[in-house]
Amino acid sequence: QAQLMESGGGSVQAGGSLRLSCTATSSMFCMAYFRQAPGKERDWVGYIYGDGTTDYTSAVKGRFTLSTDATKTTLYLQMNDLRPEDTGIYYCAAGSEFCGALETFYTTWGQGTQVTVSS
């Protein structure tokens, strides 16, 4: 059972936008998104640290933006100018000790939400 509740996925045409949301029951030091395209490994998308510092994989820089609410319990991923290559299941994740691109840094995960981008 997922410990983070996420939503916001859907189907859009290339160039469209979606905003994903992820809610935790308590604040975390780091929150992140990963995604898994069909037939591929799960890849890191980006993270946001408690002080607001963010980093993103090069594939989404300039198009995706992570943010949190003031309590650090809700994570948002604003995705603009979506491309077919962005299609996949998106998973939010939270960690209490480390922040970075490795899955092992994150101890709590959402159930995933499907994002489909058509040409």
Side-chain angles (χ1 to χ4, degrees):
Q1 185 173 7
Q3 295 176 297
L4 302 174
M5 301 303 299
E6 60 181 308
S7 62
S11 182
V12 298
Q13 293 186 339
S17 298
L18 287 171
R19 188 175 75 158
L20 307 184
S21 299
C22 174
T23 301
T25 57
S26 62
S27 63
M28 302 289 183
F29 290 112
C30 186
M31 299 188 76
Y33 266 96
F34 292 77
R35 66 185 181 183
Q36 187 168 23
K40 298 183 65 177
E41 297 180 343
R42 186 159 59 188
D43 292 326
W44 170 72
V45 176
Y47 71 74
I48 183 166
Y49 183 60
D51 67 354
T53 301
T54 58
D55 199 10
Y56 306 89
T57 185
S58 60
V60 307
K61 285 182 177 178
R63 300 187 297 117
F64 291 12
T65 304
L66 285 164
S67 61
T68 61
D69 68 349
T71 66
K72 312 296 184 184
T73 56
T74 300
L75 172 68
Y76 302 100
L77 179 63
Q78 178 67 45
M79 304 186 294
N80 296 326
D81 192 24
L82 283 161
R83 304 167 181 172
E85 307 95 279
D86 297 317
T87 293
I89 302 174
Y90 283 67
Y91 299 89
C92 63
S96 59
E97 187 173 6
F98 301 109
C99 204
L102 296 180
E103 291 187 18
T104 54
F105 288 175
Y106 302 94
T107 58
T108 308
W109 292 79
Q111 81 280 8
T113 186
Q114 177 70 46
V115 172
T116 302
V117 184
S118 60
S119 299

